[in-house]
Structure formats: structure tokens, C-alpha cells
Amino acid sequence: MKLREVFETASVDHERQIPGTNRIADVVATFSTELYPFGKGLIVEIQHKHDEKEIGPITGEYLNAGYSVFWAYQSDFEGHDMTFAEHRVKRPWPHAVPLVEGVDGYPAPVQRLLDPEPAEEVRLEVPFPMEYLRAHALEVIPPLRGYYDAGRSPEGWERIDTVSLHGKGRERAWVNVLRSPSNHIFLEFWKKDTEEGESEYLITHIGSEFPERFEAFMEDARTWFSSEDVDQQVAHWVGGASLSFRGTTLCESWLSLVKVPFGPVKFVVARRDTKGNTRTWAVNYRSGDLGRLASLRHPIRRLFGDVTDTAAAVTETGASTAARERMAGNSTDVVRD
């Protein structure tokens, strides 16, 4: 009963032989995948009347088989309840190795070498190469900086619409739909810590393939949220719905829903250039975010046309494809925006 309470998704058995040993455990909770810090499963051995149990050798066999071990004594039981003291659990390799941060555990001289005192600040002006600025100017300076309220910058950048993901709480997140002076369409993902005042953004270029792929992404996302995958508490990343889009000739981009190890679901936006350099932007998923993100389809449809209309146009004539590609900004001139 206690193991089923602590490990809700585990398979709990009584008097079961442990794989890799000749031992039969009193009770064992077995996990579908290894779970830190308990390994393949948690074995409970009852030390009550049989004082002759060889605790050391038995524990060693279980640990070598990849299972953690908890020895329960009479003092651990009260009525129909058992106390589970996690600090008494013997853990298998490599879960028995404690997690440390930074230089914890090193001798003082080594710590000073690995984490020295801050050096005197030195300031140098290093100009960016023009090639870098042409490819990455939008990463350095938001194109509408200082003109978001007006909705248009002197250079001709225009804010088409804004979709809010997190409108309340400490962390705010939103998506701006922008049009460049050369008629290319961009999504600008923002998040801001309202207490610290820090903000972060990532801008991605989208083309005519985006509306249809966005609808497929939303459908996959709804299916994923109704599955058991979204509730898994496992030691690895669990991928949900994902949307990839063209970007430019210099980069590709994607939007994904993922569940982090033993953590929350996140929206992740990433962009990778031709050299493999990747930038990411991520926020925790909150209840209702998927519905709020769905409203992104409205400005996108205004810019590219309805998904069904677009598909029909492609069937009718191949020339419409070329026209939409020109409108969406296939031109490599986008690097100069």
C-alpha cells in the first residue's frame, strides 16, 4: 500500500523473484524505465522475526542487479501504515553518486583554481564583422525596438498582431507577428520576468507552408495532451507535438511541446543556422496556453490566406505556389532586413 502511494505508476508485487538474482523480495516496486535515484525498482525487505537475514549480502545482490533497497523494521509500522524513510534507501550505481554543484567536494586549493576570484574588469570595443550583422542583426536588436506602441518603425517594420500566452503572474510571454519592409513575415517570441525586469526574445521567419503546418501542430498538441505521455514523471525528455518551418536559406526553425525530466511541459522555440549553431526560447506551459496560442492562426490567415483556400489554389494551378513563395519571402534578401 505504501509503495503504491509513493510510486503511483510503478508495478508493485509481493514475493517476487528479482531478475539477475536468486532472491525473492518481500515487496518490490518495478518501474517501466529507470527512475533516479531508485534505479530499476525499489525492494522492501521486512526485518521482523527473521533476525538471521544476511542484510549485507542480500543488499549487495539487489544493488548489483540495479535495484534500490529499503529494510523495514517493526518500528516503521503503525497500524495499517508504514513509514518510508527515503534517507535509509540503499541506492544502486550510478544513482548512489550524490549530485553536487560547482566545485563542491574539492579540496580548498583545487576550488580556488577551479573557481578563482573575479579578475579586474577589462573593457574592449570589438566591432561585429559585417557578415555577422547581415545574418544576425535581428538577434542583436529587436526590429521594432522603441516603436511597439506605434506599431511601425521608421525603417518600415510593422506589427501585425500580438498573441498573449502568459498575461498574468511573474513570467509574461507573448508572440508578435511582424512584417518587414521587404514584405517578409516573422514571429517574435518574447518572455519577461516582471520582478527582475529581464526579458528575452527569439525571432523566426515563416513562409507560406506555416499556416497548414500550424493547424497540424495544434491537432497533434490536442491529441498529446489527452494521452498518458503528458503525465509521465520520467528521467528523460518526452517529446510532444512539433512544428518545423522553413525559416530562411540561412536557418531553420521549429516549435515544440516537450515535458522535461520530472518537470513541467514547456513550449520550446528553436532556430539553427547552417553551421549548426542553435538558439532556443522556452516557457513553462500553463493551463489554457494552447487555446491562446491557437489565436495565432487569425493574423497568419490574414497574411497567407485560409489553409483550405491555399490548398485548393495549389490544386488549381502551380503558378499560385510560386506567387505565395514570393509573398512569403523566399528571397535571400531577408538577411538584410
Side-chain angles (χ1 to χ4, degrees), residues 135-149:
H136 301 280
L138 299 182
E139 299 178 17
V140 179
I141 302 175
L144 270 179
R145 184 180 66 170
Y147 295 95
Y148 283 100
D149 291 339

Side-chain angles (χ1 to χ4, degrees), residues 22-43:
N22 294 322
R23 301 284 183 180
I24 296 178
D26 290 340
V27 187
V28 58
T30 306
F31 313 127
S32 56
T33 57
E34 287 204 18
L35 176 66
Y36 179 86
F38 302 107
K40 298 177 181 178
L42 174 68
I43 293 171

